[in-house]
Amino acid sequence: MSEDNETIVEDVRTIEERYRDSYRGTRTQRKIVEDDELNSIHPLESVPEHRDGSWTNGVLAWVRGATSTDYEVVGWWVVPRKRQKSSARKYRVKKSSSALDKMMADYNKPQKKVSRQKRMDNRAKNSIRILRSRGYSMAEALMITRGQMGLDRKLIPLADDSEE
């Protein structure tokens, strides 16, 4: 195998030639520099000739020549810059935790102890909600959860402990 396949072909055209041959050069107008605006122009050397990655286009500054079709590039109105793709990712906190780490964190996390009374209240609320969805009235659902009525809507007589 030969190493000839890995050679890089360099573009020997000037910036003016590249601009003239590109689609962007035909669809946009040239930004012409007036004499008093020469101080605001950035030099051509401020941007590397061969750019890797993704860059913005920038805006070239042109000067009219002797004839109406003669133009020359003198610098940049707006200097091309490297695009900051996904730069927001750089500033985020890196969260690299596996499923096992998450499970261990949940296991080791202190749980709030719910009192017995709170558990009973929650159970009663859940029972009332289920009974109401099955067609019982609120009064019937409350009586069923307290043990005063059966599911067949018959009252349960209270047993008196004092008669014994």
Side-chain angles (χ1 to χ4, degrees):
M1 288 181 66
S2 67
E3 299 289 327
D4 295 336
N5 294 343
E6 298 180 14
T7 58
I8 297 173
V9 178
E10 290 190 25
D11 196 358
V12 294
R13 297 178 299 168
T14 63
I15 291 177
E16 297 101 351
E17 291 169 342
R18 276 189 237 157
Y19 185 81
R20 188 177 53 239
D21 296 342
S22 71
Y23 169 71
R24 188 172 58 95
T26 59
R27 68 182 173 88
T28 59
Q29 294 180 352
R30 293 182 175 137
K31 183 85 170 160
I32 306 297
V33 178
E34 303 296 328
D35 292 333
D36 56 342
E37 298 171 335
L38 283 174
N39 294 336
S40 62
I41 303 299
H42 301 283
L44 283 174
E45 295 83 34
S46 62
V47 180
E49 191 69 27
H50 300 285
R51 301 174 222 157
D52 60 331
S54 180
W55 287 68
T56 59
N57 289 328
V59 178
L60 287 171
W62 298 79
V63 172
R64 291 182 199 258
T67 63
S68 62
T69 58
D70 190 19
Y71 293 100
E72 182 183 350
V73 173
V74 291
W76 296 101
W77 278 105
V78 179
V79 179
R81 59 178 170 76
K82 195 161 179 57
R83 290 186 196 271
Q84 297 295 323
K85 289 187 178 177
S86 65
S87 62
R89 244 183 274 148
K90 283 192 273 183
Y91 304 112
R92 287 190 199 139
V93 177
K94 304 270 189 299
K95 295 181 181 177
S96 59
S97 58
S98 65
L100 182 62
D101 293 338
K102 290 177 185 175
M103 190 173 68
M104 289 298 292
D106 288 342
Y107 180 76
N108 293 332
K109 185 169 42 170
Q111 300 264 338
K112 291 182 179 177
K113 298 291 183 184
V114 180
S115 68
R116 179 176 161 79
Q117 181 62 37
K118 186 76 171 172
R119 282 198 312 265
M120 294 299 283
D121 291 344
N122 287 341
R123 218 175 273 152
K125 285 179 187 176
N126 193 23
S127 300
I128 289 172
R129 188 171 45 86
I130 291 169
L131 289 169
R132 294 281 291 149
S133 69
R134 292 196 180 154
Y136 291 95
S137 68
M138 188 65 184
E140 291 171 339
L142 285 170
M143 291 175 73
I144 291 170
T145 54
R146 291 182 192 139
Q148 298 170 352
M149 180 187 280
L151 291 174
D152 56 355
R153 293 193 167 112
K154 292 186 179 176
L155 291 176
I156 299 173
L158 295 174
D160 289 334
D161 295 334
S162 60
E163 294 178 8
E164 294 178 3

